[in-house]
Amino acid sequence: IRNTGDLPLEVFDIRLAGDAISAYTLSDAPRHTLEPGEESTFEVRFEAPSFETYEAFVEVQSNDPDKHVEEVDLVGHGAEQA
């Protein structure tokens, strides 16, 4: 997450959403204020329980005046087990 604006960006919540969230894990999700020019990272891990496609998204809620909720699509494909 990068604050490209001129004012502090307050990150309220970062969470997984969608039908297949059980295949994803969210870690190190920041919930704090980013000053202009600052950035922060988080990690999404994918572990498929079976051989199929898993779709979900990450939802970032903030005080951004143009877009209070940003969604990032996630699509993972499970591999065949050997």
Side-chain angles (χ1 to χ4, degrees):
I1 299 172
R2 180 179 303 139
N3 183 358
T4 60
D6 297 326
L7 299 171
L9 178 69
E10 200 171 328
V11 178
F12 302 125
D13 193 25
I14 300 175
R15 63 181 163 184
L16 293 168
D19 295 332
I21 62 173
S22 63
Y24 296 92
T25 305
L26 181 66
S27 63
D28 300 325
R31 289 177 181 84
H32 58 276
T33 301
L34 296 173
E35 295 300 324
E38 283 187 327
E39 61 183 59
S40 185
T41 61
F42 61 92
E43 186 173 288
V44 178
R45 292 179 187 251
F46 174 69
E47 188 173 330
S50 62
F51 182 65
E52 60 185 275
T53 301
Y54 296 86
E55 296 183 19
F57 57 93
V58 175
E59 183 178 87
V60 180
Q61 298 178 4
S62 73
N63 68 337
D64 185 320
D66 297 321
K67 197 165 187 182
H68 295 289
V69 177
E70 180 71 43
E71 293 181 358
V72 179
D73 292 331
L74 303 172
V75 179
H77 303 283
E80 284 190 74
Q81 300 296 320

Coordinates of all heavy atoms in Angstrom, one line a residue:
I1 N 0.9 -1.2 0.0 CA 0.0 0.0 0.0 C 0.9 1.2 0.0 O 1.8 1.3 0.8 CB -0.9 0.0 1.2 CG1 -1.8 -1.2 1.2 CG2 -1.7 1.3 1.3 CD1 -2.6 -1.4 2.5
R2 N 0.6 2.2 -0.9 CA 1.4 3.4 -1.0 C 0.5 4.6 -0.9 O -0.5 4.6 -1.6 CB 2.2 3.4 -2.3 CG 3.1 4.6 -2.5 CD 3.9 4.6 -3.7 NE 4.7 3.4 -3.8 CZ 4.9 2.7 -4.9 NH1 4.3 3.1 -6.0 NH2 5.7 1.7 -4.9
N3 N 0.9 5.6 -0.1 CA 0.2 6.8 -0.1 C 0.8 7.8 -1.1 O 1.8 8.3 -0.9 CB 0.2 7.4 1.3 CG -0.6 8.7 1.5 OD1 -1.2 9.1 0.5 ND2 -0.7 9.2 2.6
T4 N 0.0 8.0 -2.2 CA 0.5 8.9 -3.2 C -0.1 10.3 -3.1 O 0.1 11.1 -3.9 CB 0.2 8.3 -4.6 OG1 -1.2 8.1 -4.8 CG2 0.9 7.0 -4.9
G5 N -0.9 10.5 -2.0 CA -1.6 11.7 -1.8 C -0.8 12.7 -1.0 O 0.4 12.5 -0.7
D6 N -1.5 13.8 -0.7 CA -0.8 14.9 0.0 C -1.2 14.9 1.5 O -0.6 15.7 2.3 CB -1.2 16.3 -0.5 CG -0.8 16.4 -2.0 OD1 0.3 15.9 -2.3 OD2 -1.5 17.1 -2.8
L7 N -2.1 14.1 1.9 CA -2.6 14.0 3.3 C -2.3 12.6 3.8 O -2.2 11.6 3.1 CB -4.0 14.3 3.4 CG -4.5 15.7 3.0 CD1 -6.0 15.8 2.9 CD2 -3.9 16.7 3.9
P8 N -2.3 12.4 5.2 CA -2.1 11.0 5.7 C -3.2 10.1 5.2 O -4.4 10.5 5.1 CB -2.2 11.3 7.2 CG -1.8 12.7 7.4 CD -2.3 13.4 6.2
L9 N -2.9 8.8 5.0 CA -3.8 7.8 4.6 C -4.0 6.9 5.8 O -3.1 6.2 6.2 CB -3.3 7.0 3.4 CG -4.2 5.9 2.9 CD1 -5.5 6.4 2.3 CD2 -3.4 5.0 1.9
E10 N -5.2 6.8 6.3 CA -5.5 6.0 7.4 C -6.1 4.6 6.9 O -7.2 4.6 6.3 CB -6.5 6.7 8.3 CG -6.6 6.1 9.7 CD -7.4 7.0 10.6 OE1 -7.5 8.2 10.4 OE2 -8.0 6.4 11.5
V11 N -5.4 3.6 7.1 CA -5.8 2.2 6.7 C -6.6 1.6 7.9 O -6.1 1.4 9.0 CB -4.6 1.3 6.4 CG1 -5.1 -0.1 6.0 CG2 -3.8 1.9 5.2
F12 N -7.9 1.5 7.7 CA -8.8 1.0 8.8 C -8.8 -0.5 8.9 O -8.8 -1.1 10.0 CB -10.2 1.5 8.5 CG -10.4 2.9 8.5 CD1 -11.0 3.5 7.4 CD2 -9.9 3.8 9.5 CE1 -11.2 4.9 7.3 CE2 -10.1 5.1 9.4 CZ -10.7 5.7 8.3
D13 N -8.8 -1.2 7.7 CA -9.0 -2.7 7.7 C -8.5 -3.2 6.4 O -8.6 -2.6 5.3 CB -10.4 -3.0 7.9 CG -10.6 -4.5 8.3 OD1 -9.7 -5.1 8.8 OD2 -11.7 -5.0 8.0
I14 N -7.9 -4.4 6.5 CA -7.5 -5.2 5.3 C -7.9 -6.6 5.6 O -7.6 -7.2 6.6 CB -5.9 -5.2 5.1 CG1 -5.5 -3.8 4.9 CG2 -5.6 -6.1 3.9 CD1 -4.0 -3.6 4.8
R15 N -8.8 -7.1 4.7 CA -9.3 -8.5 4.9 C -9.5 -9.2 3.6 O -9.6 -8.6 2.5 CB -10.6 -8.4 5.7 CG -11.7 -7.6 5.0 CD -12.9 -7.6 5.8 NE -13.8 -6.5 5.3 CZ -14.9 -6.2 5.9 NH1 -15.3 -6.8 7.0 NH2 -15.7 -5.3 5.3
L16 N -9.7 -10.5 3.7 CA -10.0 -11.4 2.6 C -11.5 -11.5 2.5 O -12.2 -11.5 3.5 CB -9.4 -12.8 2.9 CG -7.9 -12.9 2.8 CD1 -7.5 -14.3 3.4 CD2 -7.4 -12.7 1.4
A17 N -12.0 -11.5 1.3 CA -13.4 -11.7 1.0 C -13.6 -12.5 -0.2 O -12.7 -12.7 -1.0 CB -14.1 -10.3 0.9
G18 N -14.8 -13.0 -0.4 CA -15.1 -13.8 -1.6 C -15.5 -15.2 -1.2 O -15.5 -15.6 -0.1
D19 N -15.7 -16.0 -2.3 CA -16.2 -17.4 -2.1 C -15.1 -18.3 -1.6 O -15.4 -19.3 -1.0 CB -16.8 -17.9 -3.4 CG -18.1 -17.1 -3.7 OD1 -18.7 -16.6 -2.8 OD2 -18.4 -17.1 -4.9
A20 N -13.8 -18.1 -2.0 CA -12.8 -19.1 -1.7 C -11.7 -18.6 -0.7 O -10.6 -19.0 -0.9 CB -12.2 -19.5 -3.0
I21 N -12.1 -17.9 0.3 CA -11.1 -17.3 1.2 C -10.4 -18.4 2.0 O -9.3 -18.1 2.5 CB -11.7 -16.2 2.1 CG1 -12.8 -16.8 3.0 CG2 -12.2 -15.0 1.3 CD1 -13.3 -15.8 4.1
S22 N -11.0 -19.6 2.1 CA -10.4 -20.6 2.9 C -9.0 -21.1 2.3 O -8.2 -21.6 3.0 CB -11.3 -21.8 3.1 OG -11.6 -22.4 1.8
A23 N -8.8 -20.8 1.0 CA -7.6 -21.2 0.4 C -6.5 -20.1 0.5 O -5.3 -20.3 0.1 CB -7.8 -21.4 -1.1
Y24 N -6.8 -19.0 1.1 CA -5.9 -17.9 1.3 C -5.6 -17.5 2.7 O -6.5 -17.7 3.6 CB -6.4 -16.6 0.5 CG -6.5 -16.8 -1.0 CD1 -7.7 -17.3 -1.5 CD2 -5.5 -16.6 -1.8 CE1 -7.8 -17.5 -2.9 CE2 -5.6 -16.8 -3.2 CZ -6.8 -17.2 -3.7 OH -6.9 -17.4 -5.0
T25 N -4.4 -17.0 3.0 CA -4.1 -16.5 4.3 C -3.5 -15.1 4.2 O -2.6 -14.9 3.3 CB -3.1 -17.4 5.0 OG1 -3.6 -18.8 5.0 CG2 -2.8 -17.0 6.4
L26 N -3.9 -14.2 5.0 CA -3.5 -12.8 5.0 C -2.6 -12.6 6.2 O -3.0 -13.0 7.3 CB -4.7 -11.9 5.0 CG -4.4 -10.4 5.0 CD1 -3.8 -10.0 3.6 CD2 -5.7 -9.7 5.2
S27 N -1.4 -12.1 6.0 CA -0.5 -11.9 7.2 C 0.2 -10.5 7.1 O 0.3 -10.0 6.0 CB 0.5 -13.0 7.3 OG 1.4 -13.0 6.2
D28 N 0.6 -10.0 8.2 CA 1.3 -8.7 8.3 C 0.5 -7.6 7.7 O 1.1 -6.7 7.1 CB 2.7 -8.8 7.6 CG 3.6 -9.9 8.3 OD1 3.5 -10.0 9.5 OD2 4.3 -10.5 7.6
A29 N -0.8 -7.6 7.8 CA -1.6 -6.6 7.2 C -1.6 -5.3 8.1 O -2.0 -5.4 9.3 CB -3.1 -7.0 7.1
P30 N -1.1 -4.2 7.5 CA -1.0 -3.0 8.3 C -2.3 -2.3 8.6 O -3.2 -2.3 7.7 CB -0.1 -2.1 7.5 CG -0.4 -2.5 6.1 CD -0.6 -4.0 6.2
R31 N -2.6 -1.8 9.8 CA -3.8 -1.1 10.1 C -3.3 0.2 10.8 O -3.2 0.2 12.1 CB -4.7 -1.9 11.0 CG -5.4 -3.0 10.2 CD -6.2 -3.8 11.1 NE -6.8 -4.9 10.5 CZ -6.3 -6.1 10.2 NH1 -5.1 -6.3 10.7 NH2 -6.9 -7.1 9.6
H32 N -2.8 1.1 10.1 CA -2.2 2.3 10.7 C -2.3 3.5 9.7 O -2.8 3.3 8.6 CB -0.8 2.0 11.1 CG 0.1 1.6 10.1 ND1 0.2 0.3 9.7 CD2 1.0 2.3 9.3 CE1 1.1 0.2 8.7 NE2 1.5 1.3 8.4
T33 N -1.6 4.6 10.0 CA -1.6 5.7 9.2 C -0.3 5.8 8.4 O 0.8 5.6 8.9 CB -1.8 7.0 10.0 OG1 -3.0 6.9 10.7 CG2 -1.7 8.2 9.1
L34 N -0.4 6.0 7.1 CA 0.7 6.2 6.2 C 0.8 7.7 5.8 O -0.2 8.2 5.3 CB 0.6 5.3 4.9 CG 0.5 3.8 5.1 CD1 0.2 3.2 3.8 CD2 1.9 3.3 5.6
E35 N 1.9 8.3 6.1 CA 2.1 9.7 5.7 C 2.4 9.7 4.2 O 2.7 8.7 3.5 CB 3.4 10.2 6.5 CG 3.2 10.3 8.0 CD 2.0 11.1 8.4 OE1 1.8 12.2 7.8 OE2 1.3 10.8 9.4
P36 N 2.2 10.9 3.6 CA 2.4 11.1 2.1 C 3.8 10.5 1.8 O 4.8 10.8 2.4 CB 2.3 12.6 1.9 CG 1.4 13.1 3.0 CD 1.7 12.2 4.2
G37 N 3.8 9.7 0.7 CA 5.0 9.1 0.2 C 5.4 7.8 0.9 O 6.2 7.0 0.4
E38 N 4.8 7.5 2.0 CA 5.1 6.2 2.7 C 4.4 5.0 2.1 O 3.3 5.2 1.5 CB 4.7 6.3 4.2 CG 5.6 7.1 5.1 CD 5.2 7.0 6.6 OE1 4.0 6.8 6.9 OE2 6.2 7.0 7.4
E39 N 4.9 3.9 2.3 CA 4.3 2.6 1.9 C 4.5 1.5 2.9 O 5.3 1.6 3.7 CB 4.8 2.2 0.5 CG 6.3 1.9 0.5 CD 6.8 1.6 -0.9 OE1 6.6 2.4 -1.9 OE2 7.3 0.4 -1.1
S40 N 3.6 0.5 2.7 CA 3.7 -0.6 3.7 C 3.2 -1.9 2.8 O 2.6 -1.7 1.8 CB 2.7 -0.4 4.8 OG 2.8 -1.4 5.8
T41 N 3.7 -3.0 3.3 CA 3.3 -4.2 2.6 C 2.6 -5.2 3.5 O 2.6 -5.1 4.7 CB 4.6 -4.9 2.1 OG1 5.4 -5.3 3.2 CG2 5.4 -4.0 1.1
F42 N 1.9 -6.2 2.8 CA 1.3 -7.3 3.5 C 1.5 -8.5 2.6 O 1.8 -8.4 1.4 CB -0.1 -7.0 3.9 CG -1.1 -6.8 2.7 CD1 -1.8 -7.8 2.1 CD2 -1.2 -5.5 2.3 CE1 -2.6 -7.5 1.1 CE2 -2.1 -5.2 1.2 CZ -2.8 -6.2 0.6
E43 N 1.2 -9.7 3.1 CA 1.4 -10.9 2.4 C 0.1 -11.7 2.3 O -0.6 -11.8 3.3 CB 2.5 -11.7 3.1 CG 3.0 -12.9 2.3 CD 4.1 -13.6 3.0 OE1 5.3 -13.0 2.9 OE2 4.0 -14.6 3.6
V44 N -0.1 -12.3 1.1 CA -1.2 -13.2 0.9 C -0.6 -14.5 0.5 O 0.1 -14.6 -0.5 CB -2.2 -12.7 -0.2 CG1 -3.3 -13.7 -0.4 CG2 -2.8 -11.3 0.2
R45 N -1.0 -15.6 1.2 CA -0.5 -16.9 0.8 C -1.6 -17.7 0.3 O -2.8 -17.6 0.8 CB 0.1 -17.6 2.1 CG 1.4 -17.0 2.5 CD 1.9 -17.7 3.8 NE 3.0 -17.0 4.3 CZ 4.3 -17.4 4.3 NH1 4.6 -18.6 3.7 NH2 5.2 -16.7 4.8
F46 N -1.3 -18.6 -0.6 CA -2.3 -19.5 -1.3 C -2.0 -20.9 -1.1 O -0.8 -21.3 -1.3 CB -2.4 -19.2 -2.8 CG -3.3 -20.1 -3.5 CD1 -4.7 -20.1 -3.4 CD2 -2.7 -21.0 -4.4 CE1 -5.5 -20.9 -4.1 CE2 -3.5 -21.8 -5.2 CZ -4.9 -21.8 -5.0
E47 N -2.9 -21.7 -0.6 CA -2.7 -23.1 -0.4 C -4.0 -23.8 -0.8 O -5.0 -23.8 0.0 CB -2.3 -23.5 1.0 CG -1.9 -24.9 1.2 CD -1.4 -25.2 2.6 OE1 -0.7 -24.3 3.2 OE2 -1.5 -26.4 3.0
A48 N -4.0 -24.4 -1.9 CA -5.3 -25.1 -2.4 C -5.4 -26.5 -1.8 O -4.5 -27.3 -1.9 CB -5.2 -25.1 -3.9
P49 N -6.6 -26.7 -1.3 CA -6.9 -28.1 -0.8 C -7.2 -29.1 -1.9 O -7.1 -30.3 -1.6 CB -8.1 -27.9 0.1 CG -8.7 -26.6 -0.3 CD -7.7 -25.8 -1.0
S50 N -7.5 -28.6 -3.1 CA -7.8 -29.5 -4.2 C -7.5 -28.9 -5.5 O -7.2 -27.7 -5.6 CB -9.2 -30.0 -4.2 OG -10.1 -28.9 -4.3
F51 N -7.5 -29.7 -6.6 CA -7.2 -29.3 -7.9 C -8.4 -28.6 -8.6 O -9.3 -29.2 -9.2 CB -6.8 -30.5 -8.8 CG -6.4 -30.2 -10.2 CD1 -5.3 -29.5 -10.4 CD2 -7.2 -30.7 -11.2 CE1 -4.9 -29.2 -11.8 CE2 -6.8 -30.4 -12.5 CZ -5.7 -29.7 -12.8
E52 N -8.4 -27.2 -8.4 CA -9.5 -26.4 -8.9 C -9.0 -24.9 -8.8 O -8.0 -24.6 -8.3 CB -10.8 -26.6 -8.3 CG -10.9 -26.3 -6.8 CD -12.2 -26.7 -6.2 OE1 -13.1 -25.8 -6.2 OE2 -12.3 -27.8 -5.6
T53 N -9.9 -24.0 -9.3 CA -9.6 -22.6 -9.3 C -10.3 -22.0 -8.1 O -11.4 -22.3 -7.8 CB -10.1 -21.9 -10.6 OG1 -9.4 -22.5 -11.7 CG2 -9.8 -20.4 -10.6
Y54 N -9.5 -21.1 -7.4 CA -10.0 -20.4 -6.2 C -10.0 -18.9 -6.4 O -8.9 -18.4 -6.6 CB -9.2 -20.8 -5.0 CG -9.3 -22.3 -4.6 CD1 -8.4 -23.2 -5.3 CD2 -10.2 -22.7 -3.7 CE1 -8.5 -24.5 -5.0 CE2 -10.2 -24.1 -3.4 CZ -9.4 -25.0 -4.1 OH -9.5 -26.3 -3.8
E55 N -11.1 -18.3 -6.3 CA -11.2 -16.8 -6.5 C -11.7 -16.1 -5.3 O -12.6 -16.6 -4.6 CB -12.2 -16.5 -7.7 CG -11.7 -17.0 -9.0 CD -12.6 -16.6 -10.2 OE1 -13.3 -15.6 -10.0 OE2 -12.5 -17.3 -11.2
A56 N -11.0 -15.1 -4.9 CA -11.3 -14.2 -3.8 C -10.8 -12.9 -4.0 O -10.3 -12.6 -5.1 CB -10.8 -14.9 -2.5
F57 N -10.8 -12.0 -3.0 CA -10.2 -10.7 -3.2 C -9.7 -10.2 -1.8 O -10.2 -10.6 -0.8 CB -11.0 -9.7 -3.9 CG -12.4 -9.5 -3.3 CD1 -12.6 -8.4 -2.4 CD2 -13.5 -10.2 -3.7 CE1 -13.8 -8.2 -1.9 CE2 -14.7 -10.0 -3.1 CZ -14.9 -9.0 -2.2
V58 N -8.8 -9.2 -1.9 CA -8.4 -8.5 -0.7 C -9.1 -7.2 -0.7 O -9.1 -6.5 -1.7 CB -6.8 -8.3 -0.7 CG1 -6.4 -7.4 0.5 CG2 -6.1 -9.6 -0.6
E59 N -9.7 -6.8 0.4 CA -10.4 -5.6 0.5 C -9.6 -4.7 1.5 O -9.3 -5.0 2.6 CB -11.8 -5.8 1.1 CG -12.7 -4.6 1.2 CD -14.0 -5.0 1.6 OE1 -14.2 -5.1 2.9 OE2 -14.9 -5.3 0.8
V60 N -9.2 -3.5 1.0 CA -8.5 -2.5 1.8 C -9.5 -1.3 2.1 O -9.9 -0.7 1.1 CB -7.2 -2.0 1.1 CG1 -6.5 -1.0 2.0 CG2 -6.3 -3.2 0.8
Q61 N -9.7 -1.0 3.3 CA -10.6 0.1 3.7 C -9.7 1.2 4.3 O -8.9 1.0 5.2 CB -11.6 -0.4 4.7 CG -12.6 -1.4 4.2 CD -13.6 -1.9 5.2 OE1 -13.6 -1.4 6.3 NE2 -14.4 -2.9 4.9
S62 N -10.0 2.4 3.8 CA -9.2 3.6 4.2 C -10.0 4.8 4.1 O -11.1 4.8 3.8 CB -7.9 3.7 3.3 OG -8.3 4.2 2.0
N63 N -9.3 5.9 4.5 CA -10.0 7.2 4.4 C -9.7 7.9 3.1 O -9.8 9.2 3.0 CB -9.5 8.1 5.6 CG -8.0 8.5 5.5 OD1 -7.2 7.9 4.9 ND2 -7.7 9.6 6.2
D64 N -9.3 7.2 2.1 CA -9.0 7.8 0.7 C -10.3 8.5 0.3 O -11.3 7.9 0.1 CB -8.6 6.7 -0.2 CG -8.2 7.2 -1.6 OD1 -8.8 8.1 -2.1 OD2 -7.2 6.7 -2.1
P65 N -10.2 9.8 -0.1 CA -11.4 10.5 -0.5 C -12.0 10.0 -1.8 O -13.1 10.2 -2.1 CB -11.0 12.0 -0.5 CG -9.5 11.9 -0.7 CD -9.0 10.7 0.0
D66 N -11.1 9.5 -2.7 CA -11.6 9.0 -4.0 C -12.1 7.6 -4.0 O -13.0 7.2 -4.8 CB -10.5 9.1 -5.0 CG -10.0 10.5 -5.2 OD1 -10.9 11.4 -5.2 OD2 -8.8 10.8 -5.3
K67 N -11.6 6.8 -3.1 CA -12.0 5.3 -3.1 C -11.8 4.8 -1.7 O -10.7 4.4 -1.3 CB -11.2 4.5 -4.1 CG -11.8 3.2 -4.4 CD -11.1 2.6 -5.7 CE -11.9 1.4 -6.1 NZ -11.3 0.8 -7.2
H68 N -12.8 4.7 -0.9 CA -12.8 4.3 0.5 C -12.4 2.8 0.6 O -11.9 2.3 1.6 CB -14.0 4.6 1.3 CG -14.3 6.0 1.4 ND1 -13.6 6.8 2.2 CD2 -15.2 6.8 0.8 CE1 -14.0 8.1 2.2 NE2 -15.0 8.1 1.3
V69 N -12.8 2.0 -0.4 CA -12.6 0.6 -0.4 C -11.9 0.2 -1.7 O -12.4 0.5 -2.8 CB -13.9 -0.2 -0.3 CG1 -13.6 -1.7 -0.3 CG2 -14.6 0.1 1.0
E70 N -10.7 -0.4 -1.6 CA -10.0 -0.9 -2.8 C -10.0 -2.4 -2.8 O -9.7 -3.0 -1.7 CB -8.6 -0.3 -2.8 CG -7.7 -0.8 -3.9 CD -8.1 -0.1 -5.2 OE1 -8.3 1.1 -5.2 OE2 -8.2 -0.8 -6.2
E71 N -10.3 -3.0 -3.9 CA -10.3 -4.5 -4.0 C -9.2 -4.9 -4.9 O -9.0 -4.4 -6.0 CB -11.7 -5.0 -4.5 CG -12.8 -4.7 -3.5 CD -14.1 -5.2 -3.9 OE1 -14.2 -5.8 -5.1 OE2 -15.1 -5.1 -3.2
V72 N -8.5 -6.0 -4.5 CA -7.5 -6.6 -5.3 C -7.9 -8.1 -5.5 O -8.1 -8.8 -4.6 CB -6.1 -6.6 -4.6 CG1 -5.0 -7.3 -5.4 CG2 -5.7 -5.1 -4.3
D73 N -8.1 -8.4 -6.8 CA -8.6 -9.8 -7.1 C -7.5 -10.8 -6.9 O -6.3 -10.5 -7.2 CB -9.0 -9.8 -8.6 CG -10.3 -9.0 -8.9 OD1 -11.1 -8.9 -8.0 OD2 -10.4 -8.5 -10.0
L74 N -7.9 -12.0 -6.4 CA -7.0 -13.1 -6.2 C -7.6 -14.3 -7.0 O -8.7 -14.6 -6.9 CB -6.9 -13.5 -4.8 CG -6.5 -12.4 -3.8 CD1 -6.6 -12.9 -2.3 CD2 -5.0 -12.0 -4.0
V75 N -6.7 -14.9 -7.8 CA -7.1 -16.2 -8.5 C -6.0 -17.1 -8.4 O -4.8 -16.9 -8.8 CB -7.4 -15.9 -10.0 CG1 -7.8 -17.2 -10.7 CG2 -8.5 -14.8 -10.2
G76 N -6.3 -18.3 -7.8 CA -5.3 -19.3 -7.6 C -5.7 -20.6 -8.2 O -6.9 -20.9 -8.2
H77 N -4.8 -21.4 -8.7 CA -5.1 -22.7 -9.3 C -4.4 -23.8 -8.5 O -3.2 -23.8 -8.4 CB -4.7 -22.7 -10.8 CG -5.3 -21.6 -11.6 ND1 -6.6 -21.6 -12.0 CD2 -4.8 -20.4 -12.0 CE1 -6.9 -20.5 -12.7 NE2 -5.8 -19.8 -12.7
G78 N -5.2 -24.7 -8.0 CA -4.6 -25.8 -7.2 C -3.9 -26.8 -8.2 O -4.3 -27.0 -9.3
A79 N -2.8 -27.3 -7.7 CA -2.0 -28.2 -8.5 C -2.4 -29.7 -8.1 O -2.9 -29.9 -7.0 CB -0.6 -28.1 -8.3
E80 N -2.3 -30.6 -9.1 CA -2.6 -32.0 -8.8 C -1.6 -32.5 -7.8 O -0.4 -32.2 -7.9 CB -2.5 -32.8 -10.1 CG -3.7 -32.6 -11.0 CD -3.7 -33.6 -12.1 OE1 -3.9 -34.8 -11.9 OE2 -3.3 -33.2 -13.2
Q81 N -2.0 -33.3 -6.9 CA -1.2 -33.9 -5.9 C -0.5 -35.1 -6.5 O -1.1 -35.9 -7.1 CB -2.0 -34.3 -4.6 CG -2.7 -33.1 -4.0 CD -1.8 -32.1 -3.4 OE1 -0.7 -32.4 -2.8 NE2 -2.1 -30.8 -3.6
A82 N 0.8 -35.2 -6.2 CA 1.6 -36.3 -6.7 C 1.4 -37.6 -5.9 O 1.0 -37.6 -4.8 CB 3.1 -35.9 -6.7

